[in-house]
């Protein structure tokens, strides 16, 4: 583990820039990424066209058409992947309704996986809002109506052990066709973006996150597993909907809920080993903090809404300091929304301040204020506060209204994580501007209709979104074979992102780089996270590569078509 002999660059897998070919390395075990090498393939012609992992549509060459009994099954023209990409994009743009684009992209993913990822990687800024928030949110709301082919794995209470009957969660996991899973994104659908309880229809979220794991982080699609755990829903309208795809019952909680989650975590470990990353996504906060605390000591788990969001916001704040000057400790932070995102960010921020300024975390927390639906979190509310909020209860008179809180606390940074659309009103923004020469305002809530304000309304910057972090973070864990996630790794990810922001971007008032560059950014984040895993003695992929950035890049999935013989 840590301190082990370093791997020589000469032994490392590398991508040849000219051909995109990856040679060797952990990701290459299945030969999947050797895009231009000959691949022996035994699937018969007709099935080859129906298999999204192998299908190339009109890009099958004459030789391949002969070798694989495809002659006549395709029209005579042979089209390059680039031309197919151009055609698909052109067709996609004909759809004016984002949900139609989502459905067309889902269809492509299910038909021709490599073309889907090539398109997504090459047009990330245009397509991100379709495969990810905000459109995926609408897709989840309408998931039952637009349902065609299932994506991901559904685990419901039907699979849970009961009394003396053995559970079937492990059996269910074994139904998934891929055996070498590296990243699982799992939701129970209780807090889908800012849209509430969408239960089983939340599947769109793990599917969307994992598409970005591949497109932005280079984790191979076959190594990604989207999971939705269905424990019922408290959304009456949803479970009454005739097209609803999940269990029609109220959510179970308490012991029954815990037992199903325990069974799932045990089955994951038994089936895939201890270094598969389980990323919790869009659980309600009453489950999210508990699950993270419960499993983090013995499993490789992360919660993107708590940790990924914390890292992306911390990176933005570090970048903003380059423009405002000073250190984190010089700032006063006010969070509007004190759930997973708000509290997660606050905790990482307090850790960063304590490390930077050599003060205790308790001391650092004094500069951080939280505000929830009941108003400012103050000591007089101690009796009724959630445990994760209590440590931010400071002595102050109660304040209900955000504008009044801004005026009283005089924050230098205001962070929205409430799920309440348009809550950063003109008056709130003006108050921030009158208090600060360069106020820092981050509106995190999703989808766009729930955002506290639009970027234009405050100032022009990209949304702080955990999509900057989780693909690289996960890749770093995968390439190092990390067996646990520690806060220092999350901190390292934030620093890795912050250092990618150029002085020119800072001069333009931007604190995040454009998404088009995210693969490079992810490689840097992955390297920082992997380095920390090695330093902490938590990496199992040995020996440690000498140049972790190059190594991370070399491990990334490349969706160009393979040749078949
Ligand atoms: N950009 C990004 O990368 C990310 C964005 N998000 C978005 O952030 C939002 C919040 O997510 P998350 O933290 O997980 O959700 P939670 O449900 O955990 O937290 C929501 C918080 O907002 C508070 N809140 C609700 N209504 C109001 C109100 N009217 N005034 C003040 N506070 C209010 C809640 O208070 P109370 O408990 O009193 O009800 C709670 O503290 C969502 O829209 C989500 O999509 C989340 C993660 C990442
Ligand atoms: C982006 C994200 O993870 C969320 O809104 O929940
Ligand atoms: Mg989320």
């Amino acid at each position: 583990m840590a301190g082990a002999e370093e791997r020589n660059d000469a032994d490392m897998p590398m991508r040849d820039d000219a051909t995109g070919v990856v040679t060797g390395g952990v990701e290459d075990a299945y030969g999947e990424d050797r895009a231009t090498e000959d691949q022996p393939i035994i699937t018969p012609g007709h099935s080859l066209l129906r298999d999204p992992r192998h299908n190339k549509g009109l890009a099958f060459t004459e030789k391949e058409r002969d070798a694989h009994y495809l002659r006549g099954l395709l029209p005579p023209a042979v089209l390059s992947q680039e031309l197919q990409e151009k055609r698909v994009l052109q067709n996609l743009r004909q759809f004016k309704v984002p949900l139609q684009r989502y459905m067309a992209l889902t269809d492509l993913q299910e038909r021709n996986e490599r073309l889907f990822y090539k398109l997504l990687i090459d047009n990330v800024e245009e397509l991100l809002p379709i495969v990810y928030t905000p459109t995926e949110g609408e897709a989840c709301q309408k998931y039952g109506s637009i349902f065609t082919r299932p994506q991901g794995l559904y685990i419901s209470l039907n699979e849970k052990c009961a009394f003396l009957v053995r559970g079937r969660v492990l059996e269910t996991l074994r139904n998934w066709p891929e055996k070498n899973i590296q990243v699982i994104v799992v939701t129970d659908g209780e807090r889908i973006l800012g849209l509430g309880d969408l239960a089983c229809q939340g599947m769109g979220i793990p599917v969307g996150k994992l598409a970005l794991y591949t497109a932005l982080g280079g984790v191979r699609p076959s190594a990604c597993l989207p999971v939705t755990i269905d424990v019922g829903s408290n959304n009456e309208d949803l479970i009454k909907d005739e097209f609803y795809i999940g269990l029609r019952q109220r959510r179970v909680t308490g012991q029954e809920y815990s037992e199903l989650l325990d069974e799932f975590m045990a089955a994951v470990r038994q089936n895939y080993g201890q270094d598969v990353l389980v990323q919790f996504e869009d659980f309600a906060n009453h489950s999210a903090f508990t699950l993270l605390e419960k499993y983090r000591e013995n499993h490789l788990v992360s919660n993107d809404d708590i940790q990924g969001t914390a890292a992306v916001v911390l990176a933005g704040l570090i970048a903003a300091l380059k423009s405002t000057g000073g250190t984190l400790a010089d700032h006063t932070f006010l969070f509007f929304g004190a759930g997973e995102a708000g509290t997660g960010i606050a905790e990482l921020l307090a850790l960063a301040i304590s490390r930077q300024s050599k003060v205790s975390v308790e001391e650092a927390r004094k500069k951080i204020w939280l505000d929830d639906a009941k108003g400012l979190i103050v000591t007089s509310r101690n009796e009724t506060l959630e445990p994760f909020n209590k440590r931010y209860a400071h002595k102050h008179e109660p304040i209900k209204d955000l504008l009044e809180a801004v005026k009283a606390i005089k924050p230098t940074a205001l962070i929205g994580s409430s799920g309440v659309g348009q809550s950063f009103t003109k008056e709130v923004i003006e108050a921030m501007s009158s208090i600060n020469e360069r106020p820092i305002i981050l509106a995190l809530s999703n989808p766009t209709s729930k955002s506290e304000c639009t970027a234009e309304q405050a100032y022009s910057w990209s949304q702080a979104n955990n999509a900057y972090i989780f693909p690289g973070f996960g890749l770093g864990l995968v390439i190092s074979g990390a067996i646990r996630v520690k806060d220092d790794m999350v901190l390292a990810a934030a620093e890795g992102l912050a250092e990618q922001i150029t002085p020119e971007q800072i001069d333009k008032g931007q604190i995040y780089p454009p998404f088009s560059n995210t693969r490079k950014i992810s490689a840097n984040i992955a390297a920082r996270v992997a380095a920390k895993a090695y330093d902490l003695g938590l990496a199992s992929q040995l020996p440690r590569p000498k140049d972790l950035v190059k190594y991370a890049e070399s491990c990334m999935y490349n969706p160009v078509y393979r040749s078949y013989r």
Side-chain angles (χ1 to χ4, degrees):
M1 295 218 182
E5 197 185 318
E6 286 194 332
R7 190 179 306 190
N8 216 314
D9 275 358
D11 305 331
M12 291 190 356
M14 286 294 153
R15 186 185 303 287
D16 178 325
D17 285 342
T19 62
V21 174
V22 176
T23 53
V26 284
E27 305 310 299
D28 208 20
Y30 326 104
E32 258 192 39
D33 299 330
R34 296 181 196 174
T36 58
E37 287 180 19
D38 279 358
Q39 294 290 307
I41 191 153
I42 48 168
T43 318
H46 187 262
S47 310
L48 198 55
L49 296 178
R50 297 280 174 272
D51 175 356
R53 198 141 286 162
H54 291 111
N55 182 26
K56 303 202 285 187
L58 290 180
F60 281 108
T61 62
E62 296 287 350
K63 208 169 139 203
E64 288 169 336
R65 292 175 189 210
D66 281 336
H68 298 288
Y69 308 97
L70 289 168
R71 207 153 274 290
L73 299 185
L74 290 163
V78 176
L79 260 57
S80 67
Q81 192 177 19
E82 286 66 33
L83 207 53
Q84 289 180 314
E85 199 181 341
K86 182 177 169 189
R87 187 194 55 198
V88 173
L89 195 59
Q90 205 167 292
N91 289 339
L92 210 57
R93 286 178 180 154
Q94 305 286 322
F95 294 117
K96 297 295 171 228
V97 178
L99 190 62
Q100 287 177 326
R101 294 187 181 192
Y102 177 93
M103 289 161 71
L105 279 170
T106 302
D107 187 50
L108 177 64
Q109 188 177 15
E110 291 295 306
R111 195 174 68 241
N112 183 336
E113 189 176 85
R114 284 180 178 263
L115 189 56
F116 169 80
Y117 282 111
K118 180 122 181 28
L119 189 76
L120 187 53
I121 291 167
D122 292 345
N123 302 280
V124 67
E125 290 192 314
E126 179 174 347
L127 300 183
L128 203 75
I130 307 294
V131 299
Y132 192 56
T133 181
T135 310
E136 65 170 357
E138 187 185 353
C140 289
Q141 288 174 309
K142 299 176 179 161
Y143 215 71
S145 317
I146 64 172
F147 188 84
T148 49
R149 289 181 67 185
Q151 291 182 293
L153 191 73
Y154 294 89
I155 294 175
S156 77
L157 288 169
N158 293 342
E159 281 75 58
K160 180 187 168 302
C161 64
F163 306 108
L164 294 175
V165 183
R166 196 169 57 88
R168 293 181 297 181
V169 173
L170 181 61
E171 229 172 282
T172 309
L173 268 186
R174 287 185 174 151
N175 288 342
W176 187 252
E178 303 293 343
K179 301 300 165 219
N180 296 297
I181 299 299
Q182 292 171 329
V183 183
I184 293 173
V185 176
V186 58
T187 188
D188 73 353
E190 193 170 2
R191 193 287 275 142
I192 293 299
L193 306 176
L195 301 169
D197 183 355
L198 298 181
C200 202
Q201 301 202 163
M203 180 57 100
I205 298 295
V207 167
K209 288 273 172 187
L210 285 164
L212 299 196
Y213 259 106
T214 299
L216 305 180
V219 178
R220 284 166 301 102
S222 60
C224 295
L225 172 56
V227 175
T228 295
I229 297 192
D230 186 350
V231 294
S233 174
N234 295 342
N235 181 339
E236 292 292 332
D237 291 341
L238 185 71
I239 57 177
K240 276 194 216 136
D241 182 338
E242 61 177 329
F243 297 130
Y244 180 54
I245 59 170
L247 296 177
R248 292 172 196 273
Q249 65 169 74
R250 287 189 70 76
R251 271 182 185 274
V252 301
T253 54
Q255 193 180 341
E256 215 178 342
Y257 178 88
S258 304
E259 283 174 1
L260 181 58
L261 269 289
D262 282 350
E263 197 180 331
F264 168 68
M265 292 303 291
V268 164
R269 173 175 289 216
Q270 196 172 337
N271 213 27
Y272 303 119
Q274 67 161 348
D275 56 0
V276 57
L277 170 64
V278 178
Q279 175 176 309
F280 295 111
E281 192 70 48
D282 290 11
F283 285 73
N285 62 38
H286 54 86
S287 309
F289 288 101
T290 316
L291 294 175
L292 187 61
E293 283 316 307
K294 179 171 181 184
Y295 296 120
R296 68 183 302 174
E297 292 312 318
N298 296 312
H299 295 262
L300 184 70
V301 291
S302 72
N303 182 305
D304 190 39
D305 300 302
I306 300 174
Q307 296 167 306
T309 315
V312 76
V313 170
L314 178 60
L317 294 172
I318 294 172
L321 291 182
K322 294 178 192 165
S323 158
T324 59
T327 66
L328 289 172
D330 298 328
H331 285 264
T332 303
F333 302 90
L334 175 61
F335 286 82
F336 186 66
E340 289 165 72
T343 315
I345 302 162
E347 280 294 88
L348 192 68
L349 187 55
L351 182 66
I353 294 174
S354 105
R355 292 275 159 82
Q356 252 184 21
S357 305
K358 311 271 179 285
V359 294
S360 67
V361 172
E362 290 71 31
E363 193 58 31
R365 287 190 187 118
K366 292 183 181 160
K367 297 294 291 290
I368 302 172
W369 294 79
L370 306 183
D371 195 315
D372 66 11
K374 292 124 216 141
L376 198 63
I377 293 189
V378 290
T379 40
S380 55
R381 291 179 52 192
N382 257 342
E383 292 294 294
T384 54
L385 287 174
E386 293 284 354
F388 52 84
N389 282 160
K390 259 196 184 133
R391 48 180 77 131
Y392 291 93
H394 306 313
K395 265 212 161 92
H396 199 285
E397 64 187 40
I399 302 182
K400 183 85 180 76
D401 178 62
L402 174 62
L403 181 61
E404 294 312 312
V406 168
K407 287 180 181 164
I409 304 299
K410 299 192 175 23
T412 53
L414 176 65
I415 296 151
S417 51
S418 62
V420 183
Q422 294 298 309
S423 43
F424 290 178
T425 56
K426 187 162 170 278
E427 290 73 24
V428 168
I429 306 286
E430 279 172 0
M432 283 298 290
S433 307
S434 71
I435 297 163
N436 305 283
E437 197 183 324
R438 306 206 70 177
I440 301 170
I441 300 170
L442 297 173
L444 300 177
S445 294
N446 288 317
T448 319
S449 60
K450 303 288 178 187
S451 180
E452 285 78 7
C453 65
T454 66
E456 289 76 23
Q457 284 164 330
Y459 190 53
S460 165
W461 30 245
S462 326
Q463 194 210 30
N465 196 294
N466 49 29
Y468 281 111
I469 289 287
F470 70 78
F473 187 75
L475 181 67
L477 299 174
V478 166
I479 63 172
S480 60
I483 54 165
R484 297 287 179 274
V485 172
K486 296 286 173 192
D487 289 344
D488 277 317
M489 298 177 185
V490 185
L491 213 48
E495 287 160 3
L497 174 58
E499 70 193 13
Q500 298 298 302
I501 301 156
T502 64
E504 294 73 38
Q505 284 158 352
I506 298 285
D507 285 347
K508 282 196 232 155
Q510 293 168 350
I511 55 171
Y512 294 105
F515 263 114
S516 51
N517 219 9
T518 308
R519 276 203 150 205
K520 183 174 161 283
I521 294 165
S522 294
N524 279 280
I525 294 173
R528 294 289 293 248
V529 172
K532 192 53 79 178
Y534 283 107
D535 293 346
L536 294 175
L538 293 170
S540 64
Q541 279 286 339
L542 297 174
R544 174 181 180 147
K546 210 167 171 184
D547 185 334
L548 280 165
V549 177
K550 273 194 186 155
Y551 183 64
E553 281 173 344
S554 75
C555 290
M556 284 185 169
Y557 165 83
N558 181 342
V560 299
Y561 287 145
R562 296 174 293 172
S563 301
Y564 302 128
R565 65 180 151 81

